[in-house]
Amino acid sequence: MRNYFRRFLQLLLVILCSAAVFGAFWFGLIPQRFSPFAPVSLEHEPGWFLDPKLAALRRDPQLCQSVLKAPNIDAVPVDDQPMKDGCGWSNAVRFNQSGGARLGVSNLSCETSAAITLWIKYEVQRVAEELFKSRVKSIEDMGTYDCRNIIGSKVWKNVKSQHATANAIDIAGFTLDDGHKISVLRDWNSKGPEGEFLRKIKARSCGYFRVSLGPDFNPEHKNHFHLDRGPMWTCG
């Protein structure tokens, strides 16, 4: 009985230690210099362990500036806004171009900015070329920072949205080089290439963002994709 109890305690200790290590990576608490993973790069297609690599950017402005570079993104750091009533940001950037497409963003966390750039460069542009033989020229967004609670959820209605910490972006549409416009609201349920394009890039966004919500999730997202790098995980 004593040996059984000792083994139980050992197993519990291993589980707790593993959970602590996982949590440290999940919340970006491990500085890059102590990480077993190479820094994330916008120059190369993402491979294994992308999530902890992105999380490492969260609290490291110097690493952020070394990653978010032209020609992949024209990011410029913005001053931190101290947290007040659950709203504010740190280590955020603004940019006008990401992944080869025009996208004007004023405040977005470094971590989410890297994720959006990788998604556009390696998924959005590729699917556009595959289906339309044209690249995406510009992307319409519905904003990043917004000091508000989560919308459309009875359970989480009193919880601050990731928009409140500039850690989320809403995407509403795309314009191709040939002028062709694709709208989430209009084209999501289309049986043509526009609908296929939207559904493909939405599904692939889940590999870059921890939360990716679209029209199939709830009525509040009928006209946009919500993409964020918060602590929760939902691909809906």
Side-chain angles (χ1 to χ4, degrees):
M1 185 67 178
R2 185 177 297 174
N3 289 337
Y4 173 82
F5 184 68
R6 183 180 299 143
R7 285 195 292 269
F8 172 77
L9 290 178
Q10 291 173 341
L11 177 60
L12 181 61
L13 181 61
V14 170
I15 293 173
L16 291 175
C17 289
S18 299
V21 171
F22 175 83
F25 280 109
W26 187 258
F27 290 100
L29 300 175
I30 304 295
Q32 182 60 51
R33 64 183 181 277
F34 298 128
S35 174
F37 311 116
V40 66
S41 171
L42 305 183
E43 296 293 336
H44 307 289
E45 189 164 0
W48 293 92
F49 307 111
L50 175 60
D51 189 88
K53 291 180 180 182
L54 288 170
L57 295 170
R58 189 171 304 177
R59 295 175 173 83
D60 194 333
Q62 290 185 334
L63 178 63
C64 177
Q65 293 179 39
S66 70
V67 171
L68 300 189
K69 297 188 299 185
N72 297 295
I73 186 173
D74 59 346
V76 177
V78 297
D79 292 339
D80 291 351
Q81 178 167 303
M83 296 293 292
K84 182 180 180 181
D85 298 326
C87 298
W89 65 75
S90 62
N91 195 21
V93 300
R94 57 180 171 84
F95 54 89
N96 294 303
Q97 179 275 134
S98 174
R102 290 201 306 271
L103 176 60
V105 170
S106 55
N107 299 303
L108 189 63
S109 69
C110 178
E111 179 180 359
T112 303
S113 297
I116 196 84
T117 303
L118 290 168
W119 175 62
I120 295 170
K121 180 176 180 179
Y122 294 106
E123 308 298 347
V124 174
Q125 297 290 14
R126 286 181 177 175
V127 176
E129 291 176 337
E130 171 192 333
L131 295 177
F132 303 104
K133 310 303 179 187
S134 180
R135 289 175 61 81
V136 171
K137 177 174 65 177
S138 63
I139 297 175
E140 178 187 355
D141 79 282
M142 295 175 62
T144 55
Y145 177 74
D146 187 4
C147 183
R148 62 170 173 82
N149 291 345
I150 293 174
I151 296 174
S153 173
K154 295 180 180 179
V155 176
W156 304 103
K157 63 181 180 180
N158 295 320
V159 176
K160 280 288 186 285
S161 166
Q162 287 299 305
H163 285 287
T165 54
N167 199 32
I169 185 169
D170 293 338
I171 300 295
F174 305 82
T175 300
L176 306 182
D177 280 337
D178 61 9
H180 190 171
K181 294 183 179 296
I182 303 170
S183 161
V184 174
L185 177 63
R186 183 188 64 237
D187 298 316
W188 175 257
N189 290 314
S190 167
K191 295 182 180 179
E194 294 83 1
E196 183 180 358
F197 169 78
L198 291 172
R199 291 187 292 271
K200 277 190 173 182
I201 63 172
K202 167 63 178 64
R204 297 183 186 185
S205 70
C206 298
Y208 299 83
F209 301 94
R210 290 177 178 170
V211 172
S212 172
L213 308 178
D216 288 343
F217 186 72
N218 62 18
E220 284 73 20
H221 293 86
K222 65 182 180 181
N223 63 346
H224 69 279
F225 300 154
H226 168 94
L227 308 170
D228 78 52
R229 290 277 310 163
M232 307 301 289
W233 185 90
T234 304
C235 183

